[in-house]
Every structure is written in structure tokens, then in C-alpha cells.
Amino acid sequence: MMVRLLGYLGYIAGEQIVKIGEVTSVREALNEVAKRKGIGNLLYSGDGIWEGILFILNGRVIQNLEEPVSEDDELVITFPTAGG
């Protein structure tokens, strides 16, 4: 599966696209992405995922980290932004 790290996440990881092999859920994909340089601290807060992160699976925002995924899926991970 392909994971896109947008904005600051991609900057810290040093790459915006991460290919993940053989995972069955969004949570497993996040665990793999979190192994990249500096990303784990940005994704996890204490025992869970930081609540301000947006997860977009195949074009739809999701909240269920147990959502099943397949090899052809695309997961986008980003922080919400505000500006003016």
C-alpha cells in the first residue's frame, strides 16, 4: 500500500510517499510509518494516536484505525491546518 505524508510529516520523514508491504489495517500501516525517522513522536501521544491527525483512505476521511486495507489502497496522513 502507499502512504502519503503531507506537509510537516513528509518534511520530517524526508519523503512524502512511503510504500508499505503486507498490512491488513490502517493501524498496522501507521505502526510501519511510525518506524521512520521522527514520525513516531508526531503520530503518537501517550498510548494512542494524536487526535488532531487526519487520515484519508482512498479519498475518504476515516476515524476507525482498524479499517481494513489492501495492497492497492492509498492512505494520506496530514495535520489539519488553519490560516488566514
Side-chain angles (χ1 to χ4, degrees):
M1 96 175 286
M2 182 171 56
V3 179
R4 289 186 185 271
L5 303 171
L6 300 185
Y8 188 65
L9 289 169
Y11 173 77
I12 292 298
E15 57 188 332
Q16 291 184 351
I17 298 175
V18 177
K19 298 221 182 214
I20 303 290
E22 299 199 31
V23 294
T24 60
S25 70
V26 170
R27 185 177 305 280
E28 287 180 13
L30 293 178
N31 289 338
E32 288 300 312
V33 170
K35 294 176 183 176
R36 305 289 193 284
K37 175 186 79 170
I39 296 300
N41 293 334
L42 295 175
L43 293 179
Y44 293 99
S45 173
D47 292 337
I49 298 289
W50 185 69
E51 66 184 51
I53 298 176
L54 291 175
F55 302 103
I56 304 166
L57 181 62
N58 299 324
R60 63 183 175 83
V61 175
I62 62 163
Q63 295 180 345
N64 178 12
L65 299 181
E66 302 309 322
E67 183 94 23
V69 296
S70 69
E71 185 177 324
D72 297 329
D73 288 340
E74 178 184 70
L75 176 65
V76 176
I77 306 172
T78 187
F79 294 122
T81 58

